[in-house]
Amino acid sequence: MIRKKVSLLTLTLVLCLMIPTMSSANQIDFAISQEGAWSDDFDDGNIDGWNVQGFNASTVPWTALPGNITAEYDNTMRVYGEGWSQAYRTSNVAYGSWAFDVHCVDTPSNRSYIAFVSGSPPLDPEDINTMPFEYGIIPVVGQHDYGNHTFVLYRRPSTSPYLSSLGEYDVEEVSGWYHINITRDFDGSFEVHFNGTLGITVSDSLHTTCDLFTFSAEAGIAIDNIVVIPYSEPTSTPTATDGEPVDITFPLIVGGGIALVVILVVVLRQRKRID
């Protein structure tokens, strides 16, 4: 009887020691899966880590201009001056979630581009007419070939400068700040939320890699609060608001381990009473 008690106590102790180890391992796996994540809220008033260039899109071919984008005035990455400006930075997330706020205002071209998946280089300084492959969002402010007051999820192939629409989300007026959240899983399935409303669902598997995140616009348009997180395969399919995936592996492991320990403690107490 004493040996049985010792065995049960030993098993209980082992389980108690294993639970932190199992949960720590899960956290490590989750952290590893998030390699490549990055964010920028521009609250420091600078755009360190970003490259800036400009171009005149009214000429054929395009001609290079100095870019004019800064965060020093209102802690958002905003375009100033004439012509188009582009800011880009390294980003290797082709599957995951991309969240950002974009400030939409009237411009001569009535549009801007946020390429959340982009090849390298965008608008090569030696050849600014070289276009990269892309997945991106076009906020259309007013009338344009892409639509009238709409958001377009687009794809640009690496073999052509022309883009194609994968989906549109029409609103009464594209004006002011919009929060946009995009998710893409390993099957290539996109979900795009606009101010918390699911507006576009589509699947596309053409581009499987990413080099850059780019923002191209005319004066007055801004982007802010960018958060990019690589996709991690969840153990089930619940989602948080704005379509962001939820990983519940850690709570399941801890909860199961605690339940086992409680059961063993009850068994030990019952055996003690019987003895």
Side-chain angles (χ1 to χ4, degrees):
M1 185 61 67
I2 293 176
R3 288 181 181 178
K4 289 183 180 179
K5 288 183 179 180
V6 171
S7 298
L8 287 170
L9 285 170
T10 302
L11 180 57
T12 303
L13 178 60
V14 169
L15 283 171
C16 291
L17 292 173
M18 283 178 64
I19 290 171
T21 304
M22 293 165 66
S23 60
S24 298
N26 179 258
Q27 288 176 308
I28 292 171
D29 290 342
F30 183 77
I32 291 173
S33 72
Q34 302 309 293
E35 184 178 357
W38 61 273
S39 64
D40 202 335
D41 59 13
F42 307 106
D43 286 351
D44 53 10
N46 66 61
I47 56 172
D48 292 349
W50 295 81
N51 297 286
V52 175
Q53 56 190 8
F55 54 96
N56 183 355
S58 64
T59 63
V60 180
W62 294 354
T63 54
L65 294 172
N68 192 349
I69 299 179
T70 183
E72 63 179 306
Y73 299 119
D74 63 356
N75 294 340
T76 70
M77 189 163 71
R78 191 176 297 275
V79 179
Y80 298 89
E82 297 181 1
W84 284 79
S85 289
Q86 182 183 74
Y88 62 94
R89 58 153 291 160
T90 300
S91 180
N92 61 13
V93 177
Y95 301 92
S97 67
W98 302 262
F100 49 84
D101 299 324
V102 59
H103 191 205
C104 303
V105 300
D106 290 332
T107 64
S109 297
N110 287 341
R111 69 193 191 279
S112 57
Y113 299 84
I114 302 105
F116 54 90
V117 171
S118 178
S120 179
L123 303 178
D124 186 336
E126 300 301 322
D127 181 10
I128 63 169
N129 293 276
T130 300
M131 302 300 294
F133 69 81
E134 292 176 343
Y135 286 121
I137 294 288
I138 306 173
V140 182
V141 181
Q143 182 65 47
H144 191 269
D145 293 343
Y146 301 134
N148 185 9
H149 288 284
T150 189
F151 293 90
V152 180
L153 173 65
Y154 75 90
R155 178 190 69 195
R156 191 196 307 275
S158 57
T159 56
S160 171
Y162 301 104
L163 57 86
S164 57
S165 171
L166 297 177
E168 298 86 29
Y169 176 65
D170 298 325
V171 296
E172 183 175 343
E173 182 180 18
V174 176
S175 180
W177 284 100
Y178 277 84
H179 177 70
I180 300 176
N181 182 275
I182 307 153
T183 60
R184 185 193 188 202
D185 64 22
F186 291 134
D187 293 327
S189 297
F190 286 95
E191 289 190 356
V192 188
H193 289 75
F194 301 88
N195 289 343
T197 299
L198 179 60
I200 299 173
T201 58
V202 68
S203 184
D204 190 272
S205 300
L206 180 63
H207 303 318
T208 59
T209 62
C210 179
D211 301 309
L212 302 168
F213 182 106
T214 72
F215 167 61
S216 307
E218 294 175 295
I221 298 176
I223 191 170
D224 198 10
N225 300 319
I226 306 171
V227 179
V228 178
I229 302 174
Y231 184 78
S232 63
E233 194 76 56
T235 55
S236 59
T237 57
T239 57
T241 57
D242 287 353
E244 299 177 22
V246 176
D247 192 310
I248 63 169
T249 306
F250 174 69
L252 286 175
I253 290 175
V254 174
I258 292 173
L260 284 173
V261 172
V262 170
I263 291 170
L264 285 170
V265 169
V266 172
V267 170
L268 282 172
R269 288 182 176 177
Q270 289 178 341
R271 285 180 173 274
K272 185 175 180 181
R273 291 173 183 173
I274 293 171
D275 293 343

